[in-house]
Amino acid sequence: MACHFTAQEKAFVNALLKLKTEEECIAFLEDICTIKEIQDISQRLLVAKMLNEGEKYQNIEKQTGASTATISRVNKCLAYGSGGYKIVLDRIKTND
């Protein structure tokens, strides 16, 4: 898997990996992200989950409020991306 992140972006990833609890992660995200950024990222993850489960665009749009452009972008990442969504979705499914 090729990584095109800069040293600064990798430092951010490594900071995320240092978080140990849900509370720590929430505190960090609240400090580093705007509420809108957290909502947008959360929405994309829900869209990915629904697409992965075979939901149709219209139903996803209705249930999540995501635009068709966002749904299409997430779908493209699921199909042709780096596999990040798949890793997370598989791990979420395993923990359910």
Side-chain angles (χ1 to χ4, degrees):
M1 173 171 30
C3 183
H4 305 289
F5 277 28
T6 65
Q8 183 176 344
E9 292 161 343
K10 287 180 183 180
F12 172 67
V13 170
N14 284 310
L16 290 173
L17 292 170
K18 302 293 183 205
L19 301 167
K20 295 181 180 168
T21 66
E22 182 178 286
E23 292 78 18
E24 287 179 359
C25 193
I26 289 169
F28 182 66
L29 290 173
E30 284 180 336
D31 285 350
I32 202 162
C33 295
T34 66
I35 295 298
K36 179 74 170 120
E37 289 167 335
I38 293 169
Q39 290 170 340
D40 288 348
I41 293 166
S42 300
Q43 181 187 64
R44 286 184 213 124
L45 181 57
L46 178 56
V47 167
K49 181 178 184 290
M50 293 176 77
L51 285 167
N52 201 49
E53 293 170 349
E55 292 285 342
K56 303 290 182 209
Y57 274 41
Q58 186 176 18
N59 190 39
I60 295 170
E61 184 179 19
K62 183 178 176 182
Q63 287 190 34
T64 67
S67 67
T68 54
T70 295
I71 298 167
S72 179
R73 181 182 177 277
V74 171
N75 194 44
K76 182 179 176 185
C77 288
L78 282 169
Y80 306 108
S82 299
Y85 277 123
K86 181 170 176 19
I87 291 167
V88 169
L89 293 173
D90 286 348
R91 289 185 184 164
I92 290 170
K93 189 183 302 182
T94 301
N95 289 336
D96 285 345

mmCIF file of all heavy atoms in Angstrom, residues 39-53 55 60 63-66 74 78 85 89 92:
data_model
loop_
_atom_site.group_PDB
_atom_site.id
_atom_site.type_symbol
_atom_site.label_atom_id
_atom_site.label_comp_id
_atom_site.label_asym_id
_atom_site.label_seq_id
_atom_site.Cartn_x
_atom_site.Cartn_y
_atom_site.Cartn_z
ATOM 1 N N GLN A 39 -18.732 15.772 12.052
ATOM 2 C CA GLN A 39 -20.009 15.324 11.471
ATOM 3 C C GLN A 39 -19.806 14.791 10.057
ATOM 4 O O GLN A 39 -20.363 13.748 9.691
ATOM 5 C CB GLN A 39 -21.019 16.476 11.462
ATOM 6 C CG GLN A 39 -21.506 16.859 12.834
ATOM 7 C CD GLN A 39 -22.314 18.154 12.838
ATOM 8 O OE1 GLN A 39 -22.234 18.975 11.915
ATOM 9 N NE2 GLN A 39 -23.074 18.350 13.908
ATOM 10 N N ASP A 40 -19.001 15.489 9.261
ATOM 11 C CA ASP A 40 -18.763 15.067 7.873
ATOM 12 C C ASP A 40 -18.038 13.723 7.811
ATOM 13 O O ASP A 40 -18.410 12.841 7.024
ATOM 14 C CB ASP A 40 -17.948 16.117 7.115
ATOM 15 C CG ASP A 40 -18.744 17.380 6.808
ATOM 16 O OD1 ASP A 40 -19.981 17.378 6.975
ATOM 17 O OD2 ASP A 40 -18.109 18.380 6.419
ATOM 18 N N ILE A 41 -17.021 13.556 8.630
ATOM 19 C CA ILE A 41 -16.273 12.293 8.646
ATOM 20 C C ILE A 41 -17.171 11.153 9.123
ATOM 21 O O ILE A 41 -17.178 10.059 8.541
ATOM 22 C CB ILE A 41 -15.006 12.424 9.515
ATOM 23 C CG1 ILE A 41 -14.015 13.386 8.864
ATOM 24 C CG2 ILE A 41 -14.359 11.056 9.759
ATOM 25 C CD1 ILE A 41 -12.891 13.842 9.787
ATOM 26 N N SER A 42 -17.957 11.425 10.164
ATOM 27 C CA SER A 42 -18.878 10.412 10.692
ATOM 28 C C SER A 42 -19.907 10.022 9.644
ATOM 29 O O SER A 42 -20.246 8.836 9.495
ATOM 30 C CB SER A 42 -19.588 10.942 11.943
ATOM 31 O OG SER A 42 -18.674 11.259 12.947
ATOM 32 N N GLN A 43 -20.403 11.016 8.912
ATOM 33 C CA GLN A 43 -21.377 10.755 7.855
ATOM 34 C C GLN A 43 -20.765 9.871 6.768
ATOM 35 O O GLN A 43 -21.392 8.919 6.302
ATOM 36 C CB GLN A 43 -21.876 12.073 7.260
ATOM 37 C CG GLN A 43 -22.924 11.889 6.169
ATOM 38 C CD GLN A 43 -23.247 13.202 5.494
ATOM 39 O OE1 GLN A 43 -22.382 13.812 4.848
ATOM 40 N NE2 GLN A 43 -24.480 13.660 5.649
ATOM 41 N N ARG A 44 -19.530 10.156 6.377
ATOM 42 C CA ARG A 44 -18.868 9.355 5.337
ATOM 43 C C ARG A 44 -18.709 7.907 5.775
ATOM 44 O O ARG A 44 -18.888 6.980 4.972
ATOM 45 C CB ARG A 44 -17.512 9.949 4.974
ATOM 46 C CG ARG A 44 -17.624 11.188 4.144
ATOM 47 C CD ARG A 44 -16.263 11.697 3.707
ATOM 48 N NE ARG A 44 -16.321 13.143 3.630
ATOM 49 C CZ ARG A 44 -15.526 13.972 4.277
ATOM 50 N NH1 ARG A 44 -14.549 13.522 5.024
ATOM 51 N NH2 ARG A 44 -15.677 15.268 4.160
ATOM 52 N N LEU A 45 -18.390 7.698 7.037
ATOM 53 C CA LEU A 45 -18.248 6.336 7.539
ATOM 54 C C LEU A 45 -19.593 5.611 7.504
ATOM 55 O O LEU A 45 -19.670 4.446 7.105
ATOM 56 C CB LEU A 45 -17.664 6.334 8.955
ATOM 57 C CG LEU A 45 -17.442 4.955 9.573
ATOM 58 C CD1 LEU A 45 -16.523 4.086 8.708
ATOM 59 C CD2 LEU A 45 -16.879 5.103 10.982
ATOM 60 N N LEU A 46 -20.670 6.290 7.898
ATOM 61 C CA LEU A 46 -21.999 5.687 7.830
ATOM 62 C C LEU A 46 -22.383 5.374 6.386
ATOM 63 O O LEU A 46 -22.920 4.302 6.095
ATOM 64 C CB LEU A 46 -23.041 6.607 8.481
ATOM 65 C CG LEU A 46 -24.490 6.129 8.445
ATOM 66 C CD1 LEU A 46 -24.646 4.740 9.087
ATOM 67 C CD2 LEU A 46 -25.398 7.137 9.130
ATOM 68 N N VAL A 47 -22.087 6.287 5.480
ATOM 69 C CA VAL A 47 -22.353 6.057 4.051
ATOM 70 C C VAL A 47 -21.587 4.823 3.573
ATOM 71 O O VAL A 47 -22.147 3.955 2.883
ATOM 72 C CB VAL A 47 -21.998 7.308 3.208
ATOM 73 C CG1 VAL A 47 -21.968 6.980 1.714
ATOM 74 C CG2 VAL A 47 -22.971 8.439 3.495
ATOM 75 N N ALA A 48 -20.324 4.714 3.942
ATOM 76 C CA ALA A 48 -19.516 3.551 3.546
ATOM 77 C C ALA A 48 -20.120 2.263 4.090
ATOM 78 O O ALA A 48 -20.202 1.259 3.377
ATOM 79 C CB ALA A 48 -18.079 3.710 4.047
ATOM 80 N N LYS A 49 -20.549 2.299 5.331
ATOM 81 C CA LYS A 49 -21.173 1.111 5.951
ATOM 82 C C LYS A 49 -22.430 0.711 5.177
ATOM 83 O O LYS A 49 -22.634 -0.469 4.862
ATOM 84 C CB LYS A 49 -21.519 1.403 7.408
ATOM 85 C CG LYS A 49 -22.131 0.255 8.160
ATOM 86 C CD LYS A 49 -22.393 0.666 9.615
ATOM 87 C CE LYS A 49 -22.927 -0.466 10.449
ATOM 88 N NZ LYS A 49 -24.289 -0.866 10.105
ATOM 89 N N MET A 50 -23.259 1.687 4.853
ATOM 90 C CA MET A 50 -24.500 1.401 4.134
ATOM 91 C C MET A 50 -24.229 0.902 2.716
ATOM 92 O O MET A 50 -24.880 -0.039 2.252
ATOM 93 C CB MET A 50 -25.395 2.638 4.130
ATOM 94 C CG MET A 50 -25.902 3.002 5.530
ATOM 95 S SD MET A 50 -26.868 4.530 5.575
ATOM 96 C CE MET A 50 -28.429 3.917 4.911
ATOM 97 N N LEU A 51 -23.269 1.510 2.031
ATOM 98 C CA LEU A 51 -22.905 1.030 0.697
ATOM 99 C C LEU A 51 -22.378 -0.399 0.766
ATOM 100 O O LEU A 51 -22.731 -1.237 -0.078
ATOM 101 C CB LEU A 51 -21.835 1.941 0.071
ATOM 102 C CG LEU A 51 -22.305 3.288 -0.448
ATOM 103 C CD1 LEU A 51 -21.117 4.194 -0.730
ATOM 104 C CD2 LEU A 51 -23.164 3.118 -1.698
ATOM 105 N N ASN A 52 -21.557 -0.653 1.766
ATOM 106 C CA ASN A 52 -20.988 -1.985 1.955
ATOM 107 C C ASN A 52 -22.075 -3.030 2.207
ATOM 108 O O ASN A 52 -21.897 -4.203 1.880
ATOM 109 C CB ASN A 52 -19.983 -1.948 3.108
ATOM 110 C CG ASN A 52 -19.007 -3.087 3.068
ATOM 111 O OD1 ASN A 52 -18.408 -3.362 2.040
ATOM 112 N ND2 ASN A 52 -18.835 -3.742 4.195
ATOM 113 N N GLU A 53 -23.180 -2.589 2.785
ATOM 114 C CA GLU A 53 -24.312 -3.485 3.055
ATOM 115 C C GLU A 53 -25.281 -3.579 1.883
ATOM 116 O O GLU A 53 -26.314 -4.238 1.971
ATOM 117 C CB GLU A 53 -25.046 -3.017 4.316
ATOM 118 C CG GLU A 53 -24.212 -3.164 5.571
ATOM 119 C CD GLU A 53 -24.826 -2.481 6.792
ATOM 120 O OE1 GLU A 53 -25.805 -1.704 6.642
ATOM 121 O OE2 GLU A 53 -24.303 -2.717 7.893
ATOM 122 N N GLU A 55 -26.940 -0.991 0.328
ATOM 123 C CA GLU A 55 -28.012 0.007 0.268
ATOM 124 C C GLU A 55 -27.910 0.823 -1.019
ATOM 125 O O GLU A 55 -26.825 1.051 -1.545
ATOM 126 C CB GLU A 55 -27.939 0.954 1.472
ATOM 127 C CG GLU A 55 -28.259 0.308 2.800
ATOM 128 C CD GLU A 55 -29.731 0.028 3.015
ATOM 129 O OE1 GLU A 55 -30.582 0.615 2.299
ATOM 130 O OE2 GLU A 55 -30.035 -0.785 3.896
ATOM 131 N N ILE A 60 -29.653 5.848 1.068
ATOM 132 C CA ILE A 60 -28.543 6.408 1.844
ATOM 133 C C ILE A 60 -28.699 7.918 1.956
ATOM 134 O O ILE A 60 -28.544 8.493 3.042
ATOM 135 C CB ILE A 60 -27.181 6.041 1.203
ATOM 136 C CG1 ILE A 60 -26.966 4.528 1.257
ATOM 137 C CG2 ILE A 60 -26.052 6.785 1.887
ATOM 138 C CD1 ILE A 60 -25.789 4.038 0.439
ATOM 139 N N GLN A 63 -31.540 8.639 4.438
ATOM 140 C CA GLN A 63 -31.257 8.311 5.840
ATOM 141 C C GLN A 63 -30.121 9.130 6.440
ATOM 142 O O GLN A 63 -30.116 9.382 7.646
ATOM 143 C CB GLN A 63 -30.938 6.824 5.981
ATOM 144 C CG GLN A 63 -32.150 5.938 5.848
ATOM 145 C CD GLN A 63 -31.846 4.505 6.243
ATOM 146 O OE1 GLN A 63 -31.053 4.247 7.134
ATOM 147 N NE2 GLN A 63 -32.484 3.562 5.567
ATOM 148 N N THR A 64 -29.148 9.520 5.624
ATOM 149 C CA THR A 64 -27.963 10.190 6.177
ATOM 150 C C THR A 64 -27.913 11.686 5.898
ATOM 151 O O THR A 64 -27.175 12.399 6.572
ATOM 152 C CB THR A 64 -26.673 9.576 5.608
ATOM 153 O OG1 THR A 64 -26.580 9.873 4.209
ATOM 154 C CG2 THR A 64 -26.603 8.076 5.838
ATOM 155 N N GLY A 65 -28.641 12.133 4.891
ATOM 156 C CA GLY A 65 -28.553 13.528 4.473
ATOM 157 C C GLY A 65 -27.337 13.812 3.602
ATOM 158 O O GLY A 65 -27.089 14.950 3.226
ATOM 159 N N ALA A 66 -26.571 12.786 3.276
ATOM 160 C CA ALA A 66 -25.392 12.954 2.424
ATOM 161 C C ALA A 66 -25.828 13.254 0.998
ATOM 162 O O ALA A 66 -26.835 12.738 0.514
ATOM 163 C CB ALA A 66 -24.538 11.687 2.441
ATOM 164 N N VAL A 74 -17.552 8.312 -1.757
ATOM 165 C CA VAL A 74 -17.291 7.212 -0.820
ATOM 166 C C VAL A 74 -17.330 5.878 -1.561
ATOM 167 O O VAL A 74 -16.479 5.013 -1.345
ATOM 168 C CB VAL A 74 -18.298 7.230 0.356
ATOM 169 C CG1 VAL A 74 -18.168 5.978 1.209
ATOM 170 C CG2 VAL A 74 -18.107 8.486 1.204
ATOM 171 N N LEU A 78 -14.440 3.060 -1.820
ATOM 172 C CA LEU A 78 -14.647 1.645 -1.485
ATOM 173 C C LEU A 78 -14.164 0.741 -2.617
ATOM 174 O O LEU A 78 -13.562 -0.310 -2.373
ATOM 175 C CB LEU A 78 -16.127 1.369 -1.202
ATOM 176 C CG LEU A 78 -16.651 1.784 0.165
ATOM 177 C CD1 LEU A 78 -18.176 1.686 0.197
ATOM 178 C CD2 LEU A 78 -16.041 0.936 1.270
ATOM 179 N N TYR A 85 -11.442 2.144 4.250
ATOM 180 C CA TYR A 85 -12.824 1.903 4.666
ATOM 181 C C TYR A 85 -13.041 0.416 4.954
ATOM 182 O O TYR A 85 -13.657 0.047 5.946
ATOM 183 C CB TYR A 85 -13.823 2.340 3.589
ATOM 184 C CG TYR A 85 -14.165 3.804 3.575
ATOM 185 C CD1 TYR A 85 -13.960 4.559 2.424
ATOM 186 C CD2 TYR A 85 -14.727 4.439 4.676
ATOM 187 C CE1 TYR A 85 -14.297 5.902 2.372
ATOM 188 C CE2 TYR A 85 -15.068 5.778 4.647
ATOM 189 C CZ TYR A 85 -14.850 6.508 3.481
ATOM 190 O OH TYR A 85 -15.192 7.843 3.436
ATOM 191 N N LEU A 89 -14.411 -1.054 8.387
ATOM 192 C CA LEU A 89 -15.721 -1.717 8.371
ATOM 193 C C LEU A 89 -15.610 -3.177 8.808
ATOM 194 O O LEU A 89 -16.470 -3.666 9.544
ATOM 195 C CB LEU A 89 -16.359 -1.601 6.989
ATOM 196 C CG LEU A 89 -16.753 -0.185 6.570
ATOM 197 C CD1 LEU A 89 -17.214 -0.166 5.111
ATOM 198 C CD2 LEU A 89 -17.833 0.383 7.482
ATOM 199 N N ILE A 92 -15.086 -3.106 12.587
ATOM 200 C CA ILE A 92 -16.332 -2.755 13.291
ATOM 201 C C ILE A 92 -17.264 -3.951 13.315
ATOM 202 O O ILE A 92 -17.863 -4.267 14.340
ATOM 203 C CB ILE A 92 -17.015 -1.539 12.614
ATOM 204 C CG1 ILE A 92 -16.207 -0.264 12.848
ATOM 205 C CG2 ILE A 92 -18.450 -1.364 13.121
ATOM 206 C CD1 ILE A 92 -16.692 0.925 12.013
#
